[in-house]
Structures are given as structure tokens and as C-alpha cells.
Amino acid sequence: MPASVITPPGLTLQEGVREACDRVIQLLLLNLQKLVYNRGAPALADSPPRPVPFLDALKSHVRELCVETLRLERKRFLWQHQLLSLLAVYSAPHCATDALFFLLTLARTQEELALATQLYAVLSSCLTDLLPATVKTCVCQIHAGRLPEAQMAQLFRNLALVV
């Protein structure tokens, strides 16, 4: 098990501590979910939806969150994937398409690629035109020359697998 901020290298957590931490994370994610999905679209007379500073701060870290999610570590990838979906809904449409683009580009195994299709399934239920917007993001990244050749080839392989 890798070292964390809780334990130095070589020490392990007691299972009760691990379960308590997992429970706290689940409660935090539930609270974030309520904040994201209860925002709604404001009418013209309404004030804008309340910001969620934590998610606002995460917007610039979508790629890093995707990379960490793809590591598939223990239960961690489950809550990272949930956090990624909440961030994508909160900061739609750009974070949603960016997250799908990064997952499609960086996934190297079927299990990792499944995270992209699972994210798409969650997001497509609440975001319209997600597929065309994601394809547009992929094409824009390719045309801008931002992808190394190996990542571009991986993106094409993964797109062929999901289509």
C-alpha cells in the first residue's frame, strides 16, 4: 500500500480507520452532489446559482483527476470518478467534454476505458449534445497539435472500441 498523508511509508491503517475515512468521503461526496444538482438553472429574475468553491478550484485540474482515477487504486478510483462526474456537471459543458477527452486519450486497458463510458452514461442523462461536443473537443485537440503521436493513436484506438 502506498504511503499517504495519514501514514508514513511502511505503516498500514487499521481497517476501522480506513472504513471511517471512506464513510467521511462518501458523506462529503453526497453533500457535493446535493450542492451540484440542487443548483438548477436560474430564471432571468433569479440570482445566479451559488458557487461551490471546492469545485471551482478543481476546474483547472481535470486532467490530473482523470490520471489519478485511471490508476484504479482500491476504492479511491470510485470516489474520484464520482468527483469527476460532479465536477463535469457543475462546470458543464467544458469540464464534461475535457474529462471524457482525457479519459479516452489516457485509458490503456478495457477496465480504464470503461470509466469513460460510465462517465458518459452519467453525464448524458443531464447534459444535452454531450457526444458531439466531446467529438469536437477531441478534434480540436488533434488539430491544435496538443497530443503526442502515441496519445493520438491511443485516442483513435479507444474511440474505435467505444463506437
Side-chain angles (χ1 to χ4, degrees):
M1 172 198 301
S4 70
V5 292
I6 299 172
T7 61
L11 294 179
T12 59
L13 288 176
Q14 293 179 344
E15 196 57 35
V17 173
R18 187 178 305 283
E19 289 173 14
C21 290
D22 186 51
R23 181 76 176 134
V24 168
I25 289 172
Q26 289 303 321
L27 290 172
L28 289 170
L29 286 170
L30 179 62
N31 189 44
L32 270 178
Q33 183 175 332
K34 288 177 185 177
L35 292 172
V36 168
Y37 286 103
N38 289 337
R39 288 168 45 96
L44 290 177
D46 293 342
S47 60
R50 266 181 70 183
V52 180
F54 176 69
L55 293 176
D56 286 329
L58 273 180
K59 285 180 189 178
S60 61
H61 300 282
V62 174
R63 185 183 193 285
E64 292 94 333
L65 186 54
C66 289
V67 168
E68 286 300 313
T69 303
L70 289 170
R71 289 176 62 195
L72 299 172
E73 286 187 7
R74 294 181 60 101
K75 292 182 181 179
R76 185 180 301 167
F77 83 94
L78 296 172
W79 62 260
Q80 288 169 329
H81 193 264
Q82 187 177 356
L83 180 60
L84 190 58
S85 69
L86 292 172
L87 178 61
V89 170
Y90 176 78
S91 302
H94 299 293
C95 276
T97 57
D98 286 349
L100 288 167
F101 163 74
F102 288 127
L103 290 175
L104 287 167
T105 302
L106 301 170
R108 297 191 185 278
T109 66
Q110 290 287 336
E111 192 175 11
E112 291 175 355
L113 186 56
L115 293 174
T117 58
Q118 291 166 9
L119 183 63
Y120 176 78
V122 169
L123 297 179
S124 64
S125 66
C126 57
L127 300 175
T128 58
D129 297 326
L130 182 59
L131 183 59
T134 301
V135 170
K136 181 180 178 183
T137 297
C138 292
V139 170
C140 287
Q141 293 291 334
I142 292 166
H143 281 281
R146 293 190 183 116
L147 287 177
E149 193 173 308
Q151 284 185 349
M152 191 177 344
Q154 188 66 48
L155 173 62
F156 288 141
R157 278 192 296 274
N158 288 340
L159 285 172
L161 286 170
V162 297
V163 174

